[in-house]
Amino acid sequence: ALFIMAGCSSQEQGTWQKIEKEGKLVVGMSADYKPFEYHDKGDNIVGFDVDVLKEVSKKLNLKLELKDTAWDGIIPGLQAKKYDLIMSAMTITEERKKAVGFSDSYFNAGQIIAVLDGNNNIKSVEDLKGKKVGVQLGTTADLEASEMEGVEVKRYEKIPQAFIELNNGRVDAVAADLPVVAKYTLEHSGVKIVGEPFTTENFGIAMRKGDTELLEKINTALAELKQDGTYDEIYAKWFK
Ligand code: ARG
């Protein structure tokens, strides 16, 4: 019995050890959320999160591999070890903390709504009663909107689909993170932002619970990027 116990206690190889051995960070993201992560015209995955990740991997002396994953199912994919991290404009929430570990926050955001230019009835979230709001399935926008009384929530796999439905008149508003909505309204005519952000949220990099060594490495790398100005450069590039 002692023998078996000794065998069991020989530590299972940790995620960080595996990453170091393979020399690469494998990250899951839902590349549908411009400007955080999206496909450019050449079909490369680019964005703020991608640039931060590139610098994080540089600091850790690792290659970077991105796995484009549907948002709905991105946490199960982490648990199934399809990747070791999620960086996908993911808000740190108490609910998600039950399932994953989060790095220190790397971005502050908040949910906001957009409507068609000609809409003068919806001036803020307060006016959504009796209206349809489009959100990305399983996001904090979905959670928030689902709790608003008398609001009909239409859920889409990706946020661009919600904007198409806004243009078609099938939803009255779209709710998502401010930088995403701002980017969309900047690049497409006929839609405008209304009101103020109605949540405050912090984005974090998610990993499996118990990956404490990995967590430490990620937090240290993030802190260094903030200190040496790299973070600010990336921020200015995407959110000037
Ligand atoms: N911040 C929101 C959340 O955590 C939306 C994130 C959606 N991310 C994405 N890449 N589509 O729920």
Side-chain angles (χ1 to χ4, degrees):
L2 260 179
F3 222 79
I4 294 165
M5 290 223 351
C8 283
S9 73
S10 94
Q11 272 251 304
E12 196 194 317
Q13 193 193 37
T15 302
W16 174 250
Q17 278 68 37
K18 191 209 73 179
I19 289 171
E20 257 196 322
K21 203 169 101 197
E22 291 176 357
K24 64 178 180 189
L25 268 187
V26 185
V27 184
M29 55 171 49
S30 181
D32 54 17
Y33 214 56
K34 192 176 185 177
F36 291 99
E37 47 268 324
Y38 65 100
H39 292 264
D40 70 5
K41 295 218 170 75
D43 213 25
N44 305 299
I45 301 179
V46 297
F48 175 80
D49 284 352
V50 177
D51 281 355
V52 171
L53 273 175
K54 281 183 180 162
E55 294 301 327
V56 166
S57 350
K58 241 190 240 168
K59 292 254 181 230
L60 299 175
N61 244 317
L62 298 166
K63 284 196 208 124
L64 175 64
E65 187 180 319
L66 302 178
K67 292 215 167 158
D68 193 4
T69 306
W71 176 258
D72 182 42
I74 202 162
I75 290 181
L78 176 72
Q79 312 294 23
K81 304 200 173 177
K82 291 186 180 153
Y83 30 83
D84 296 313
L85 296 173
I86 297 170
M87 189 169 190
S88 196
M90 182 176 274
T91 304
I92 302 170
T93 68
E94 290 309 311
E95 196 55 33
R96 287 175 185 153
K97 271 194 201 163
K98 292 178 193 161
V100 299
F102 278 107
S103 73
D104 294 335
S105 166
Y106 69 89
F107 198 89
N108 306 320
Q111 301 296 312
I112 197 133
I113 57 170
V115 298
L116 290 182
D117 263 344
N119 186 329
N120 295 315
N121 302 320
I122 302 176
K123 295 191 177 69
S124 78
V125 273
E126 268 79 64
D127 302 322
L128 285 178
K129 225 179 181 164
K131 303 278 192 278
K132 297 189 188 87
V133 57
V135 299
Q136 183 174 25
L137 171 70
T139 57
T140 47
D142 183 359
L143 281 178
E144 291 289 331
S146 301
E147 283 186 357
M148 293 176 193
E149 229 189 276
V151 176
E152 189 180 335
V153 184
K154 297 273 189 186
R155 302 173 179 87
Y156 302 94
E157 218 177 287
K158 296 165 197 263
I159 210 69
Q161 297 166 332
F163 278 112
I164 290 169
E165 296 297 85
L166 180 65
N167 281 302
N168 290 340
R170 277 195 278 265
V171 297
D172 303 295
V174 169
D177 286 293
L178 171 61
V180 172
V181 178
K183 191 79 187 165
Y184 187 89
T185 53
L186 212 70
E187 292 181 345
H188 300 81
S189 56
V191 275
K192 62 177 181 190
I193 283 185
V194 286
E196 298 291 316
F198 56 95
T199 62
T200 37
E201 305 187 12
N202 299 303
F203 296 170
I205 300 174
M207 58 209 87
R208 286 181 292 276
K209 273 186 182 289
D211 281 345
T212 46
E213 204 170 352
L214 176 58
L215 179 69
E216 229 171 84
K217 301 277 179 194
I218 296 294
N219 279 340
T220 306
L222 282 176
E224 282 174 19
L225 293 181
K226 284 190 184 162
Q227 229 160 36
D228 67 15
T230 312
Y231 179 92
D232 290 340
E233 265 171 48
I234 301 173
Y235 190 94
K237 172 179 168 190
W238 293 99
F239 304 108
K240 53 192 147 161

